[in-house]
Amino acid sequence: MAKYRHSLPQLKGGAFVTDGGMETTFIFHDGLQLPHFASFVMMASEEGRDRLRAYYRRYLDIARKHGAGFILDSPTWRASPDWAEKLGYTPDALHDANVQSIALLAGLRERHEEPGRPIVLSGAMGPRGDGYKAGRMNAAEAEDYHSVQIGSFAESDADMISAVTLNNIDEAIGIARAASARDMPCVISFTVETDGKLVTGRSMQEVIETTDAATGGSVAYYMINCAHPTHFAEALDHRAGWTKRIHGLRANASRMSHAELDDSETLDAGDPVDLGQRYRELMQRMPQIRIVGGCCGTDHRHVAAICEACLPALPSAA
């Protein structure tokens, strides 16, 4: 049974940590082959599941050190029908992978959760297409497509879903509507280009306000991920009402554009200390941000540096 589905603790205040760039860590640091950038395939073997547990434990230890809660995202960014078909998964096998991914997280929560440090189980979702290229679905098509994965999470112990690396308003609206239909709290995280706008040219203000208007404000909160802080910091007006809907950051380690990252055969790990300081500057301007983690190119060193820079100034999780 889901523990926090009807009362997300991160909405009540306190600091929360999440992980870094899962796929880039496994590929570039551990030398694993992840077809189509899909980490959920690791659930198919005991060795893969053990690797996932060890990966998460590094971040859980960081959160415990700082007295913070944790958002435990499943390894299911690619676990949706189109990608599953490319990977040879049947619909039943895909459903099992999503449900069992949450079961793995539930086991970690049972061992690591402590009073005052809630661990929230999040079903991670990605875009139907490439996270760096604009999707072409309308909202109804997106709702239909993503309802498959959301339905699997709804049958699991997941407390919420996190749709990350989105770059299209219609897809965000469709996901939010599908989540609402299953009574699942939904978080939407957009990725932006070096100008602080989506690849479609829409501003963060436009996408948040439009998504909220089309969904009755059903999105629990918004995040930004898969971009370096230098790409979006100046695009966030901390005095505006729409920015107060942004509660989390999962930035890239690299300052490179998405096109440059796509073409790169090596990992640009950036500067963890500098990244932490940039988070701190953003959080001083936007105190509603209470969820911190990383995205492509980041690992436990980056998240540790972010926590060292930011969390001492925040109260522990309620």
Side-chain angles (χ1 to χ4, degrees):
M1 179 179 293
K3 187 173 184 178
Y4 298 119
R5 188 176 295 182
H6 301 294
S7 183
L8 295 179
Q10 66 268 41
L11 295 179
K12 301 175 184 178
F16 285 77
V17 178
T18 188
D19 64 305
M22 177 182 291
E23 291 80 10
T24 53
T25 295
F26 285 133
I27 292 170
F28 291 100
H29 292 304
D30 295 352
L32 301 185
Q33 298 294 319
L34 295 183
H36 297 293
F37 227 54
S39 52
F40 80 91
V41 300
M42 298 173 68
M43 289 294 301
S45 70
E46 187 57 40
E47 178 186 358
R49 293 190 291 273
D50 284 344
R51 282 183 176 271
L52 285 165
R53 292 186 188 100
Y55 167 85
Y56 288 121
R57 282 195 293 266
R58 286 180 170 177
Y59 295 98
L60 287 162
D61 287 345
I62 293 168
R64 184 178 64 249
K65 176 182 177 182
H66 292 276
F70 201 88
I71 310 295
L72 198 50
D73 273 325
S74 59
T76 51
W77 182 65
R78 286 294 202 212
S80 63
D82 284 3
W83 295 102
E85 184 177 358
K86 293 178 181 179
L87 292 161
Y89 278 67
T90 65
D92 285 344
L94 175 62
H95 172 77
D96 288 345
N98 277 302
V99 171
Q100 291 305 313
S101 292
I102 299 299
L104 183 144
L105 303 188
L108 287 166
R109 175 164 70 185
E110 184 176 350
R111 290 187 289 275
H112 293 274
E113 190 173 50
E114 299 173 351
R117 297 195 314 103
I119 295 177
V120 181
L121 307 188
S122 171
M125 304 174 59
R128 183 176 188 174
D130 190 317
Y132 292 165
K133 297 180 176 64
R136 298 180 179 177
M137 291 184 294
N138 61 37
E141 291 169 332
E143 180 177 355
D144 181 65
Y145 177 81
H146 289 290
S147 66
V148 174
Q149 190 174 16
I150 291 171
S152 295
F153 290 139
E155 293 180 21
S156 76
D157 288 337
D159 297 307
M160 56 180 280
I161 65 158
S162 296
V164 301
T165 327
L166 298 187
N167 55 40
N168 183 284
I169 294 175
D170 287 335
E171 189 162 21
I173 292 170
I175 289 172
R177 288 174 175 170
S180 182
R182 297 304 296 262
D183 199 24
M184 287 289 293
C186 170
V187 171
I188 298 291
S189 185
F190 290 105
T191 184
V192 298
E193 301 301 307
T194 56
D195 61 358
K197 297 180 179 180
L198 274 63
V199 68
T200 56
R202 308 293 290 273
S203 70
M204 281 297 298
Q205 178 178 357
E206 288 180 276
V207 298
I208 289 175
E209 291 181 344
T210 302
T211 302
D212 271 349
T215 62
S218 67
V219 176
Y221 55 88
Y222 294 89
M223 297 177 61
I224 299 174
N225 82 295
C226 211
H228 192 269
T230 55
H231 298 167
F232 58 80
E234 296 305 315
L236 302 177
D237 180 358
H238 66 280
R239 296 161 298 186
W242 63 270
T243 60
K244 293 178 172 54
R245 294 282 280 136
I246 301 173
H247 288 182
L249 298 176
R250 297 192 63 169
N252 282 355
S254 175
R255 297 171 183 248
M256 288 196 292
S257 69
H258 291 151
E260 291 169 330
L261 288 172
D262 260 349
D263 291 338
S264 178
E265 296 181 359
T266 59
L267 182 69
D268 178 7
D271 182 341
V273 174
D274 177 74
L275 187 64
Q277 290 302 315
R278 293 185 182 278
Y279 269 66
R280 183 178 179 85
E281 292 168 7
L282 280 165
M283 293 170 71
Q284 286 173 337
R285 292 167 47 200
M286 301 171 64
Q288 79 277 8
I289 293 176
R290 61 180 65 99
I291 302 149
V292 296
C295 201
C296 293
T298 63
D299 55 46
H300 63 285
R301 298 168 300 170
H302 298 80
V303 174
I306 292 166
C307 290
E308 289 291 340
C310 301
L311 295 198
L314 294 176
S316 61

